[in-house]
Amino acid sequence: MRNIRIAGYGKYAPENTMEFHGECRYRANGSETQLDMAVKAAKRALAIAKMQIEEMDCIVSASAVMMQPIPCNAALIHEQLAKGSNIPAMDINSTCTSFVTALDTMSYLIDAGRYRNVLIVSSDIASEGLNDKQAESYELFSDGAAAFVISRTENEKQGVADSIIRTYSEGAHATEIRGGGTLHSAMKYRPEDRADYCFDMKGKSILSLSAKKLPELFREFEAQSGISFAEVDMIVPHQASKALPFIMDRLGIPAEKYVNRVSQYGNMVSASIPYVLCALLEEGRLKEGNRVLLCGTAAGLTCNLLLLQL
C-alpha cells in the first residue's frame, strides 16, 4: 500500500452546453481557455483541502493536450497559482488516462517521502480539435477540468493498493492528432491538410483492440493485487464512449458495479476519470474506507488500472 489520501478535489465544466440525441456535451466558449478551466478546478481542490498553494510540494498537469508547445502545461498553471515560488511543476501525459498515470507515479514519490502534498490537474478542451465531419467523435467529446490534492497519510489502510499500465501500440494510429508537432509542423500547415490537425478516431478499431486486450489485463490485475473485482466498492472507468456497457459486460462487470455518465458528461479526455471521481465524492457516493478502481484506455493504445483505498 502506498499511503496517500485525497485531501481535496474540485471540478469545472463550461456553462455552455450542446445536446446530441438527448445527451449533454460541454463546450468552452470562445473566451474560455484550457488554462482558465485548470485554474478554476485547482482552486476548488485547494479550498476543499483547506490548503494554500504554498503548501504544495509539486504541481502536476495530467492533461492530454498541450496548451502551447513550450513550456509544459504545469508551468503555465504555476504562473497563475504560484508565481514567485519555486514549487516544481511537471506534465505527465498518457492522454485520456493521464490522471491515473499521474496519481500512480506521484503516489510512489509521496510514499517515499519525496513530497507530502501534490496538486494534480487535468484539463482539456476537446472541442478545439474536433472534426465536425466525424460525427462519432464530434458528438461524443466534452470540455472539462478536475483537480485533486493528494497528501501523505499515516493511515496504513489508506492509499494505492496496486496499479498496472500497459501499452499496445497496434492501436497507436487508431486515435490521433497528426499535426502540430515536429512530424507535421504547424509551420507547414496548409488548409488542404486540415484533417491532420484535427482529432481522428477509428472507433471500431479501438473497440476491437480493447475487447481483445482488456479481459487479459483485468485477470492479470486480479492475480497481481490479490483482490477480486467483487471486493471493489466502485469502479470508475474512463467515459470513453457509448460502448462502455459492452466493454464492461465483456469483462464480466455488472452495471451496478461501475459508473456510466457518458450521457451526462461525454468524454472529457484526461478530465474524464477525475471529473467523475470528484462528482461521486461530492455526492457522498464514495466515502472513507471504500475501495475504488480507476480504469481506462487511452490513445496508444494505453490501458491503466489503479486500485485506491479511500
Side-chain angles (χ1 to χ4, degrees), residues 34 65-76 91 93 179-182 184-187:
Q34 185 180 352
V65 178
M66 61 185 179
M67 298 178 195
Q68 60 184 63
I70 295 174
C72 67
N73 288 352
L76 299 176
D91 285 10
N93 186 345
T182 58
H184 298 275
S185 171
M187 302 295 288

Side-chain angles (χ1 to χ4, degrees), residues 16 84 104 239 244:
N16 184 44
D104 189 8
Q239 309 294 295
L244 180 60

Side-chain angles (χ1 to χ4, degrees), residues 1 7 21 30 38 48-49 56 68 81 83 95 99-101 105 118 165 169 208 215 233 242 246 258 270 273 310:
M1 184 80 74
H21 313 293
I48 291 291
M56 298 300 106
Q68 60 184 63
L81 295 175
K83 191 175 182 179
T95 61
F99 173 78
V100 184
T101 304
T105 303
V118 174
I165 181 170
S169 59
S208 175
D233 295 297
K242 294 179 183 180
F246 166 77
Y258 70 93
S270 70
I273 293 173
L310 296 179

Side-chain angles (χ1 to χ4, degrees), residues 42-43 45-59 81-82 85 87 117-119 149 151:
K43 286 182 175 178
L46 289 166
I48 291 291
K50 297 180 180 178
M51 292 183 184
Q52 302 298 315
I53 191 65
E54 291 79 12
E55 297 175 77
M56 298 300 106
D57 300 310
C58 188
I59 298 171
L81 295 175
S85 77
I87 302 168
N117 302 308
V118 174
L119 175 64
V149 174
S151 298

Side-chain angles (χ1 to χ4, degrees), residues 278-298:
C278 184
L280 295 171
L281 290 166
E282 288 178 347
E283 295 162 11
R285 291 190 60 190
L286 288 176
K287 296 180 174 64
E288 187 173 329
N290 285 162
R291 277 179 175 161
V292 184
L293 180 71
L294 308 181
C295 60
T297 58

